[in-house]
Amino acid sequence: MQNINEKQRLLGVLKGEIQDRPPVICPGGMMNAAVSEIVKNIHGNHNVTSEAMVAAAKLVREMAGFENYGVPFCMTVESEPFGIKLDFGDKEREPVVTEYNELDISEIISKYNEVEFNSYRIPVVLKAIGELKNDSVPVIGNITGAISTATSVVDPLVLFKLMRKAPEKAYEFIAFINKNLVDYAEKMLDRGADVIVISDPTATGEILGKVNFEKFAVPMFKEIAEMVHKRNAKLIIHICGNTNSIIESLNLIGADAYSFDSVVNIKTSKDKINSKIMGNVSTQLLQDGTPEKIMLNTKHCIDSGSDIISPACGLGMSTPVINLKAMTALVKGENNNAID
């Protein structure tokens, strides 16, 4: 097979083409490798300015060996415009919501009817994507899914109660959030993103169950999938936790690949999923394990048939770069250099 670059390899896999080996990526967003050891080398907060965001994305690839650029590095950009308060994090802590919007959901829909793309950090992320755009390294735009975004805008207990007692109202709010996510994802594609990755840790079978997953999550994922495919781009969706109760439901969405947590059996999933599988090197092992054990876990993922190798979920900020290099080098056939 002729030599191909990182973008060609990832997009080729997502198109269903046979490649020389799996790509090894860490998308960004919830699943990002902007760990403390990497971001200590940049000036400014990589969650706040486009300059620091671009620098962090490039260092993740350079230092850890992942074959992509991906921004942003948190799950709070999408909820920021909806009247919440945030701690923007630093080189040791990821951003978190510190105060929910306490208005009634109907009032939130009315007051924040259109997200202003020239405000908050949305333009920061879009500018970073534009600056990262290139011909050889895939650029990934990360979106926090509708249910996780909704439960960052309002207290999760409020939304879960509505799902039971007023499902139509809950659906209206989630759909309102999702409309803005579709617009945001499309702006990412406009700026040069090659792939959109959605992480929605609240939209799991363990939290929602199969019925509510299909009622509240699947339509939102499908809406983004349809827009992405109309733009001839690709979509990956990360599903947290155990997927046993919703595994067949994922085929209703039409994503190009699904990313699974380390508890999910890749071989079993491949028999039930019509799309490509991404994952799922243990993030606990990446943080606390030895390079040798990480290489064994990574090889197991390859041998199990994972089409794209990646961390199984969000990485802890204290994850050592040497462990990330052990994973990426093994995939690339450079494992002799993984523990230099």
CSV table of all heavy atoms in Angstrom, one decimal, residues 4-55:
chain,number,residue,atom,x,y,z
A,4,ILE,N,0.5,6.9,3.0
A,4,ILE,CA,-0.6,7.8,3.1
A,4,ILE,C,-0.4,8.6,4.4
A,4,ILE,O,0.4,8.2,5.3
A,4,ILE,CB,-2.0,7.1,3.2
A,4,ILE,CG1,-2.0,6.1,4.4
A,4,ILE,CG2,-2.3,6.3,2.0
A,4,ILE,CD1,-3.3,5.5,4.7
A,5,ASN,N,-1.0,9.8,4.4
A,5,ASN,CA,-0.8,10.7,5.6
A,5,ASN,C,-1.9,10.4,6.6
A,5,ASN,O,-2.8,9.6,6.4
A,5,ASN,CB,-0.7,12.1,5.2
A,5,ASN,CG,-2.0,12.7,4.5
A,5,ASN,OD1,-3.1,12.3,4.9
A,5,ASN,ND2,-1.9,13.6,3.6
A,6,GLU,N,-1.8,11.1,7.7
A,6,GLU,CA,-2.7,10.8,8.8
A,6,GLU,C,-4.2,11.1,8.5
A,6,GLU,O,-5.1,10.4,8.9
A,6,GLU,CB,-2.2,11.6,10.1
A,6,GLU,CG,-0.9,11.1,10.6
A,6,GLU,CD,-0.2,12.1,11.6
A,6,GLU,OE1,-0.8,13.2,11.8
A,6,GLU,OE2,0.8,11.7,12.1
A,7,LYS,N,-4.4,12.2,7.8
A,7,LYS,CA,-5.8,12.6,7.4
A,7,LYS,C,-6.3,11.5,6.5
A,7,LYS,O,-7.5,11.1,6.7
A,7,LYS,CB,-5.8,13.9,6.7
A,7,LYS,CG,-7.2,14.4,6.3
A,7,LYS,CD,-7.2,15.7,5.6
A,7,LYS,CE,-7.0,16.8,6.5
A,7,LYS,NZ,-7.3,18.2,5.9
A,8,GLN,N,-5.6,11.1,5.5
A,8,GLN,CA,-6.1,10.1,4.5
A,8,GLN,C,-6.4,8.8,5.3
A,8,GLN,O,-7.4,8.1,4.9
A,8,GLN,CB,-5.0,9.8,3.5
A,8,GLN,CG,-4.8,11.0,2.5
A,8,GLN,CD,-3.6,10.8,1.6
A,8,GLN,OE1,-2.6,10.2,2.0
A,8,GLN,NE2,-3.7,11.4,0.4
A,9,ARG,N,-5.6,8.4,6.2
A,9,ARG,CA,-5.8,7.1,7.0
A,9,ARG,C,-7.1,7.2,7.8
A,9,ARG,O,-7.9,6.3,7.7
A,9,ARG,CB,-4.6,6.8,7.9
A,9,ARG,CG,-4.8,5.5,8.6
A,9,ARG,CD,-3.5,5.2,9.5
A,9,ARG,NE,-2.4,4.8,8.7
A,9,ARG,CZ,-1.3,5.6,8.6
A,9,ARG,NH1,-1.3,6.8,9.2
A,9,ARG,NH2,-0.3,5.3,7.8
A,10,LEU,N,-7.3,8.3,8.5
A,10,LEU,CA,-8.5,8.3,9.4
A,10,LEU,C,-9.7,8.5,8.5
A,10,LEU,O,-10.7,7.7,8.7
A,10,LEU,CB,-8.4,9.6,10.3
A,10,LEU,CG,-9.6,9.8,11.2
A,10,LEU,CD1,-9.9,8.6,12.1
A,10,LEU,CD2,-9.5,11.1,12.0
A,11,LEU,N,-9.7,9.3,7.5
A,11,LEU,CA,-10.9,9.5,6.7
A,11,LEU,C,-11.2,8.2,5.9
A,11,LEU,O,-12.3,7.8,5.6
A,11,LEU,CB,-10.8,10.7,5.8
A,11,LEU,CG,-10.7,12.1,6.5
A,11,LEU,CD1,-10.6,13.2,5.4
A,11,LEU,CD2,-11.9,12.3,7.3
A,12,GLY,N,-10.1,7.5,5.5
A,12,GLY,CA,-10.2,6.3,4.7
A,12,GLY,C,-10.9,5.2,5.6
A,12,GLY,O,-11.9,4.6,5.1
A,13,VAL,N,-10.5,5.1,6.8
A,13,VAL,CA,-11.2,4.1,7.7
A,13,VAL,C,-12.7,4.5,7.9
A,13,VAL,O,-13.5,3.6,7.8
A,13,VAL,CB,-10.5,4.1,9.1
A,13,VAL,CG1,-11.4,3.4,10.1
A,13,VAL,CG2,-9.1,3.4,9.0
A,14,LEU,N,-13.0,5.8,8.1
A,14,LEU,CA,-14.3,6.2,8.3
A,14,LEU,C,-15.2,6.0,7.0
A,14,LEU,O,-16.4,5.9,7.1
A,14,LEU,CB,-14.4,7.7,8.7
A,14,LEU,CG,-13.8,7.9,10.2
A,14,LEU,CD1,-13.7,9.4,10.5
A,14,LEU,CD2,-14.6,7.2,11.2
A,15,LYS,N,-14.5,6.0,5.9
A,15,LYS,CA,-15.2,5.7,4.6
A,15,LYS,C,-15.4,4.2,4.4
A,15,LYS,O,-16.0,3.8,3.4
A,15,LYS,CB,-14.5,6.3,3.4
A,15,LYS,CG,-14.5,7.8,3.4
A,15,LYS,CD,-13.6,8.4,2.3
A,15,LYS,CE,-13.5,9.9,2.3
A,15,LYS,NZ,-12.6,10.4,1.3
A,16,GLY,N,-14.8,3.4,5.2
A,16,GLY,CA,-14.9,1.9,5.0
A,16,GLY,C,-13.8,1.3,4.2
A,16,GLY,O,-13.8,0.2,3.8
A,17,GLU,N,-12.7,2.1,3.9
A,17,GLU,CA,-11.6,1.7,3.1
A,17,GLU,C,-10.6,0.9,4.0
A,17,GLU,O,-10.4,1.2,5.1
A,17,GLU,CB,-10.9,2.8,2.4
A,17,GLU,CG,-11.9,3.6,1.5
A,17,GLU,CD,-11.3,4.9,1.0
A,17,GLU,OE1,-10.2,5.3,1.5
A,17,GLU,OE2,-12.0,5.6,0.2
A,18,ILE,N,-9.9,-0.1,3.4
A,18,ILE,CA,-8.9,-0.8,4.1
A,18,ILE,C,-7.6,0.0,4.1
A,18,ILE,O,-7.2,0.5,3.1
A,18,ILE,CB,-8.6,-2.2,3.4
A,18,ILE,CG1,-9.9,-3.1,3.5
A,18,ILE,CG2,-7.5,-2.9,4.0
A,18,ILE,CD1,-9.8,-4.4,2.7
A,19,GLN,N,-7.0,0.1,5.3
A,19,GLN,CA,-5.8,0.9,5.5
A,19,GLN,C,-4.7,0.0,5.9
A,19,GLN,O,-4.9,-1.2,6.3
A,19,GLN,CB,-6.1,2.0,6.5
A,19,GLN,CG,-7.2,3.0,6.1
A,19,GLN,CD,-6.9,3.7,4.8
A,19,GLN,OE1,-5.8,4.2,4.6
A,19,GLN,NE2,-7.9,3.9,3.9
A,20,ASP,N,-3.5,0.6,6.0
A,20,ASP,CA,-2.3,-0.2,6.4
A,20,ASP,C,-2.3,-0.6,7.9
A,20,ASP,O,-1.8,-1.6,8.3
A,20,ASP,CB,-1.0,0.6,6.1
A,20,ASP,CG,-1.0,2.0,6.7
A,20,ASP,OD1,-2.1,2.5,7.0
A,20,ASP,OD2,0.1,2.5,6.8
A,21,ARG,N,-3.0,0.3,8.7
A,21,ARG,CA,-3.1,0.0,10.1
A,21,ARG,C,-4.2,1.0,10.6
A,21,ARG,O,-4.6,1.9,10.0
A,21,ARG,CB,-1.8,0.3,10.8
A,21,ARG,CG,-1.3,1.7,10.7
A,21,ARG,CD,-0.1,2.0,11.7
A,21,ARG,NE,0.4,3.3,11.5
A,21,ARG,CZ,0.0,4.4,11.9
A,21,ARG,NH1,-1.2,4.4,12.6
A,21,ARG,NH2,0.6,5.6,11.7
A,22,PRO,N,-4.6,0.7,11.9
A,22,PRO,CA,-5.6,1.7,12.5
A,22,PRO,C,-5.0,3.0,12.7
A,22,PRO,O,-3.8,3.1,13.1
A,22,PRO,CB,-6.0,1.0,13.8
A,22,PRO,CG,-5.5,-0.4,13.7
A,22,PRO,CD,-4.3,-0.4,12.8
A,23,PRO,N,-5.7,4.1,12.6
A,23,PRO,CA,-5.3,5.4,13.1
A,23,PRO,C,-5.2,5.4,14.6
A,23,PRO,O,-6.0,4.6,15.2
A,23,PRO,CB,-6.3,6.4,12.6
A,23,PRO,CG,-7.2,5.6,11.6
A,23,PRO,CD,-7.0,4.2,12.0
A,24,VAL,N,-4.4,6.2,15.2
A,24,VAL,CA,-4.5,6.3,16.7
A,24,VAL,C,-4.7,7.8,17.0
A,24,VAL,O,-3.9,8.7,16.7
A,24,VAL,CB,-3.2,5.8,17.4
A,24,VAL,CG1,-1.9,6.4,16.8
A,24,VAL,CG2,-3.2,5.9,18.9
A,25,ILE,N,-5.8,8.1,17.6
A,25,ILE,CA,-6.2,9.5,17.8
A,25,ILE,C,-6.7,9.7,19.2
A,25,ILE,O,-7.0,8.8,20.0
A,25,ILE,CB,-7.3,9.9,16.8
A,25,ILE,CG1,-8.7,9.2,17.1
A,25,ILE,CG2,-6.9,9.7,15.4
A,25,ILE,CD1,-9.9,9.8,16.3
A,26,CYS,N,-6.8,11.0,19.6
A,26,CYS,CA,-7.4,11.4,20.8
A,26,CYS,C,-8.2,12.7,20.5
A,26,CYS,O,-7.6,13.8,20.2
A,26,CYS,CB,-6.4,11.7,21.9
A,26,CYS,SG,-7.1,11.8,23.6
A,27,PRO,N,-9.5,12.6,20.3
A,27,PRO,CA,-10.2,13.6,19.6
A,27,PRO,C,-10.2,15.0,20.2
A,27,PRO,O,-10.1,16.0,19.5
A,27,PRO,CB,-11.7,13.1,19.6
A,27,PRO,CG,-11.6,11.7,19.9
A,27,PRO,CD,-10.3,11.5,20.7
A,28,GLY,N,-10.2,15.1,21.5
A,28,GLY,CA,-10.4,16.4,22.2
A,28,GLY,C,-11.7,16.4,22.9
A,28,GLY,O,-12.2,15.4,23.2
A,29,GLY,N,-12.2,17.6,23.3
A,29,GLY,CA,-13.4,17.6,24.0
A,29,GLY,C,-13.3,16.9,25.3
A,29,GLY,O,-12.4,17.1,26.1
A,30,MET,N,-14.3,16.0,25.6
A,30,MET,CA,-14.2,15.2,26.8
A,30,MET,C,-13.0,14.3,26.7
A,30,MET,O,-12.4,14.0,27.7
A,30,MET,CB,-15.5,14.4,27.0
A,30,MET,CG,-15.5,13.6,28.3
A,30,MET,SD,-16.9,12.5,28.3
A,30,MET,CE,-16.4,11.1,27.3
A,31,MET,N,-12.7,13.8,25.5
A,31,MET,CA,-11.7,12.8,25.3
A,31,MET,C,-10.4,13.5,24.8
A,31,MET,O,-10.0,13.3,23.6
A,31,MET,CB,-12.1,11.7,24.3
A,31,MET,CG,-13.4,11.0,24.8
A,31,MET,SD,-14.0,9.9,23.5
A,31,MET,CE,-12.6,8.8,23.3
A,32,ASN,N,-9.8,14.3,25.7
A,32,ASN,CA,-8.6,15.0,25.2
A,32,ASN,C,-7.3,14.7,25.9
A,32,ASN,O,-7.4,14.2,27.1
A,32,ASN,CB,-8.9,16.5,25.3
A,32,ASN,CG,-8.7,17.1,26.6
A,32,ASN,OD1,-7.6,17.3,27.1
A,32,ASN,ND2,-9.9,17.3,27.3
A,33,ALA,N,-6.2,14.9,25.3
A,33,ALA,CA,-4.9,14.6,25.9
A,33,ALA,C,-4.1,15.8,26.2
A,33,ALA,O,-2.9,15.8,26.3
A,33,ALA,CB,-4.1,13.7,24.9
A,34,ALA,N,-4.8,16.9,26.5
A,34,ALA,CA,-4.2,18.1,26.9
A,34,ALA,C,-3.9,18.0,28.4
A,34,ALA,O,-4.5,18.7,29.3
A,34,ALA,CB,-5.0,19.4,26.6
A,35,VAL,N,-3.1,17.0,28.8
A,35,VAL,CA,-2.7,16.8,30.2
A,35,VAL,C,-1.7,17.8,30.7
A,35,VAL,O,-1.1,18.5,29.9
A,35,VAL,CB,-2.2,15.3,30.3
A,35,VAL,CG1,-3.2,14.3,29.9
A,35,VAL,CG2,-0.9,15.1,29.5
A,36,SER,N,-1.6,17.8,32.0
A,36,SER,CA,-0.8,18.9,32.7
A,36,SER,C,0.6,18.9,32.1
A,36,SER,O,1.2,19.9,31.9
A,36,SER,CB,-0.8,18.7,34.2
A,36,SER,OG,-2.1,18.8,34.7
A,37,GLU,N,1.2,17.7,31.9
A,37,GLU,CA,2.6,17.6,31.4
A,37,GLU,C,2.8,18.3,30.1
A,37,GLU,O,3.9,18.8,29.7
A,37,GLU,CB,3.0,16.2,31.4
A,37,GLU,CG,4.5,16.0,31.2
A,37,GLU,CD,4.9,14.5,31.2
A,37,GLU,OE1,4.1,13.7,31.7
A,37,GLU,OE2,6.0,14.2,30.7
A,38,ILE,N,1.7,18.3,29.3
A,38,ILE,CA,1.8,18.9,28.0
A,38,ILE,C,1.5,20.4,28.0
A,38,ILE,O,2.2,21.2,27.5
A,38,ILE,CB,0.8,18.2,27.0
A,38,ILE,CG1,1.3,16.8,26.7
A,38,ILE,CG2,0.6,19.0,25.7
A,38,ILE,CD1,0.4,16.0,25.8
A,39,VAL,N,0.4,20.8,28.7
A,39,VAL,CA,0.0,22.2,28.6
A,39,VAL,C,0.8,23.1,29.5
A,39,VAL,O,0.8,24.3,29.4
A,39,VAL,CB,-1.5,22.3,29.0
A,39,VAL,CG1,-2.4,21.6,28.0
A,39,VAL,CG2,-1.8,21.8,30.4
A,40,LYS,N,1.7,22.5,30.4
A,40,LYS,CA,2.6,23.4,31.1
A,40,LYS,C,3.6,24.1,30.2
A,40,LYS,O,4.2,25.1,30.6
A,40,LYS,CB,3.3,22.5,32.2
A,40,LYS,CG,4.4,21.6,31.6
A,40,LYS,CD,5.1,20.8,32.7
A,40,LYS,CE,6.2,20.0,32.1
A,40,LYS,NZ,6.9,19.2,33.1
A,41,ASN,N,3.7,23.6,29.0
A,41,ASN,CA,4.7,24.1,28.0
A,41,ASN,C,4.1,25.3,27.2
A,41,ASN,O,4.8,25.8,26.4
A,41,ASN,CB,5.1,23.0,27.1
A,41,ASN,CG,5.9,21.9,27.8
A,41,ASN,OD1,7.0,22.1,28.3
A,41,ASN,ND2,5.3,20.7,27.9
A,42,ILE,N,2.8,25.6,27.4
A,42,ILE,CA,2.3,26.7,26.6
A,42,ILE,C,2.0,27.9,27.4
A,42,ILE,O,1.9,27.8,28.7
A,42,ILE,CB,1.0,26.3,25.9
A,42,ILE,CG1,-0.1,26.0,26.9
A,42,ILE,CG2,1.2,25.0,25.0
A,42,ILE,CD1,-1.5,25.7,26.3
A,43,HIS,N,1.9,29.1,26.8
A,43,HIS,CA,1.6,30.3,27.4
A,43,HIS,C,0.1,30.5,27.4
A,43,HIS,O,-0.6,30.4,26.4
A,43,HIS,CB,2.3,31.5,26.8
A,43,HIS,CG,1.9,32.8,27.4
A,43,HIS,ND1,2.4,33.2,28.6
A,43,HIS,CD2,1.2,33.8,26.9
A,43,HIS,CE1,1.9,34.4,28.9
A,43,HIS,NE2,1.2,34.8,27.8
A,44,GLY,N,-0.5,30.8,28.6
A,44,GLY,CA,-1.9,31.1,28.6
A,44,GLY,C,-2.8,29.9,28.9
A,44,GLY,O,-2.3,28.8,29.0
A,45,ASN,N,-4.1,30.1,29.0
A,45,ASN,CA,-5.0,29.0,29.3
A,45,ASN,C,-5.5,28.4,28.0
A,45,ASN,O,-6.2,29.1,27.2
A,45,ASN,CB,-6.2,29.6,30.1
A,45,ASN,CG,-7.1,28.5,30.6
A,45,ASN,OD1,-7.3,27.4,30.0
A,45,ASN,ND2,-7.8,28.7,31.7
A,46,HIS,N,-5.3,27.2,27.7
A,46,HIS,CA,-5.6,26.5,26.5
A,46,HIS,C,-7.1,26.3,26.3
A,46,HIS,O,-7.6,25.9,25.3
A,46,HIS,CB,-4.9,25.2,26.4
A,46,HIS,CG,-5.3,24.2,27.5
A,46,HIS,ND1,-4.9,24.4,28.8
A,46,HIS,CD2,-6.0,23.1,27.5
A,46,HIS,CE1,-5.3,23.4,29.6
A,46,HIS,NE2,-6.0,22.6,28.8
A,47,ASN,N,-7.9,26.6,27.4
A,47,ASN,CA,-9.4,26.6,27.3
A,47,ASN,C,-10.0,27.9,26.9
A,47,ASN,O,-11.2,28.0,26.7
A,47,ASN,CB,-9.9,26.1,28.6
A,47,ASN,CG,-9.5,24.7,29.0
A,47,ASN,OD1,-9.6,23.8,28.3
A,47,ASN,ND2,-8.8,24.6,30.2
A,48,VAL,N,-9.2,28.9,26.9
A,48,VAL,CA,-9.7,30.3,26.8
A,48,VAL,C,-9.3,31.1,25.5
A,48,VAL,O,-10.2,31.7,24.9
A,48,VAL,CB,-9.3,31.1,28.0
A,48,VAL,CG1,-9.8,32.6,27.9
A,48,VAL,CG2,-9.9,30.5,29.3
A,49,THR,N,-8.1,31.0,25.1
A,49,THR,CA,-7.6,31.7,23.9
A,49,THR,C,-7.3,30.8,22.8
A,49,THR,O,-6.9,29.7,23.0
A,49,THR,CB,-6.4,32.6,24.3
A,49,THR,OG1,-5.2,31.7,24.4
A,49,THR,CG2,-6.6,33.4,25.5
A,50,SER,N,-7.5,31.3,21.6
A,50,SER,CA,-7.3,30.5,20.4
A,50,SER,C,-5.8,30.2,20.2
A,50,SER,O,-5.4,29.1,19.8
A,50,SER,CB,-7.8,31.1,19.1
A,50,SER,OG,-7.2,32.4,18.9
A,51,GLU,N,-4.9,31.1,20.6
A,51,GLU,CA,-3.5,30.9,20.5
A,51,GLU,C,-3.0,29.7,21.3
A,51,GLU,O,-2.3,28.9,20.9
A,51,GLU,CB,-2.7,32.2,20.9
A,51,GLU,CG,-2.9,33.4,19.9
A,51,GLU,CD,-4.2,34.1,20.2
A,51,GLU,OE1,-4.9,33.8,21.2
A,51,GLU,OE2,-4.6,34.9,19.3
A,52,ALA,N,-3.5,29.7,22.6
A,52,ALA,CA,-3.1,28.6,23.5
A,52,ALA,C,-3.8,27.3,23.1
A,52,ALA,O,-3.2,26.3,23.2
A,52,ALA,CB,-3.5,29.0,24.9
A,53,MET,N,-5.0,27.4,22.6
A,53,MET,CA,-5.7,26.2,22.1
A,53,MET,C,-5.0,25.6,21.0
A,53,MET,O,-4.8,24.3,20.9
A,53,MET,CB,-7.1,26.6,21.7
A,53,MET,CG,-8.1,25.5,21.6
A,53,MET,SD,-9.8,26.1,21.3
A,53,MET,CE,-10.3,26.7,23.0
A,54,VAL,N,-4.6,26.4,20.0
A,54,VAL,CA,-3.8,25.8,18.8
A,54,VAL,C,-2.5,25.2,19.3
A,54,VAL,O,-2.1,24.1,18.9
A,54,VAL,CB,-3.6,26.9,17.8
A,54,VAL,CG1,-2.6,26.5,16.7
A,54,VAL,CG2,-4.9,27.3,17.1
A,55,ALA,N,-1.8,26.0,20.2
A,55,ALA,CA,-0.5,25.5,20.7
A,55,ALA,C,-0.7,24.1,21.4
A,55,ALA,O,0.1,23.2,21.2
A,55,ALA,CB,0.1,26.5,21.6
